[in-house]
């Protein structure tokens, strides 16, 4: 009989909504069961991708402020988690690309993300993007419709 696989590093991808608390709970549960490291990632929009025309604002400065605000929100979001968090990542850019980079860079062997079960999510699901690209195991947690 073979030993069950033990995950070493679990990454939870969250959007910091209340429904994503279910993703965090599942990630903590899996990390505990595997005695694994747990990290959390939030991918925010890259403002440079939104502004394709010449504009008279300092996008880099605004982007830095957006990231700083998101880091603080993530700290607050994770404040009551009763498990050590290895990395708290806030990254701007394409979700699938940035999550895949984090999985590779931090040697993640299980990615946990949420999936809202609705008509529109069939077209725009981030879980679907990740299923097609992520190089590690993927656990998709069904989330209630908002």
């Amino acid at each position: 009989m073979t030993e069950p696989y033990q995950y070493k590093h679990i990454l939870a991808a969250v959007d910091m909504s209340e429904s994503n608390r279910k993703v965090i709970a599942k990630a903590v549960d899996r990390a505990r069961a595997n005695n694994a490291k747990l990290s959390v990632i939030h991918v925010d929009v890259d403002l440079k991708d939104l502004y394709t025309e010449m504009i008279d604002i300092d996008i880099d400065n605004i982007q830095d402020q957006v990231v700083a605000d998101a880091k603080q929100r993530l700290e607050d979001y994770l404040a009551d988690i009763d498990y050590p968090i290895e990395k708290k990542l806030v990254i701007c850019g394409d979700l699938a690309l940035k999550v895949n980079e984090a999985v590779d860079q931090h040697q993640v062997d299980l990615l946990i993300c949420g999936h809202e079960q609705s008509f529109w999510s069939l077209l725009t699901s981030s879980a679907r993007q990740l299923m097609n690209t992520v190089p590690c195991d993927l656990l998709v947690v069904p989330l209630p419709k908002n």
Side-chain angles (χ1 to χ4, degrees):
M1 193 161 127
T2 61
E3 291 290 317
Y5 182 82
Q6 289 289 116
Y7 291 107
K8 294 171 188 67
H9 194 174
I10 296 170
L11 179 64
V14 297
D15 66 5
M16 295 190 274
S17 65
E18 279 307 305
S19 63
N20 265 227
R21 293 212 178 268
K22 188 175 176 184
V23 173
I24 293 292
K26 185 70 74 171
V28 168
D29 180 59
R30 294 293 82 222
R32 266 200 185 99
N34 287 270
N35 197 25
K37 293 188 279 187
L38 174 61
S39 294
V40 178
I41 188 169
H42 169 74
V43 180
D44 219 328
V45 66
D46 189 343
L47 294 178
K48 292 176 198 143
D49 292 342
L50 297 178
Y51 296 103
T52 56
E53 313 240 344
M54 286 182 57
I55 51 176
D56 190 22
I57 59 173
D58 184 357
I59 292 290
D60 289 331
N61 196 20
I62 293 171
Q63 187 77 53
D64 291 346
Q65 187 59 48
V66 166
V67 169
D69 291 348
K71 283 181 179 178
Q72 186 56 56
R73 285 193 343 264
L74 187 59
E75 285 290 336
D76 295 345
Y77 188 78
L78 298 173
D80 61 347
I81 303 304
D82 185 26
Y83 195 85
I85 308 283
E86 178 82 9
K87 301 270 183 201
K88 297 172 186 170
L89 306 167
V90 174
I91 300 170
C92 295
D94 177 74
L95 177 98
L97 177 69
K98 295 301 181 179
V99 168
N100 278 300
E101 287 174 2
V103 163
D104 185 50
Q105 181 180 359
H106 300 289
Q107 300 172 331
V108 169
D109 52 356
L110 176 62
L111 172 66
I112 301 177
C113 68
H115 173 68
E116 186 178 296
Q117 298 172 314
S118 69
F119 170 75
W120 292 111
S121 71
L122 292 173
L123 304 174
T124 62
S125 170
S126 27
R128 176 174 294 207
Q129 290 176 3
L130 292 170
M131 274 186 247
N132 289 326
T133 61
V134 77
C136 67
D137 288 357
L138 176 65
L139 174 60
V140 179
V141 179
L143 300 176
K145 296 175 199 160
N146 288 334

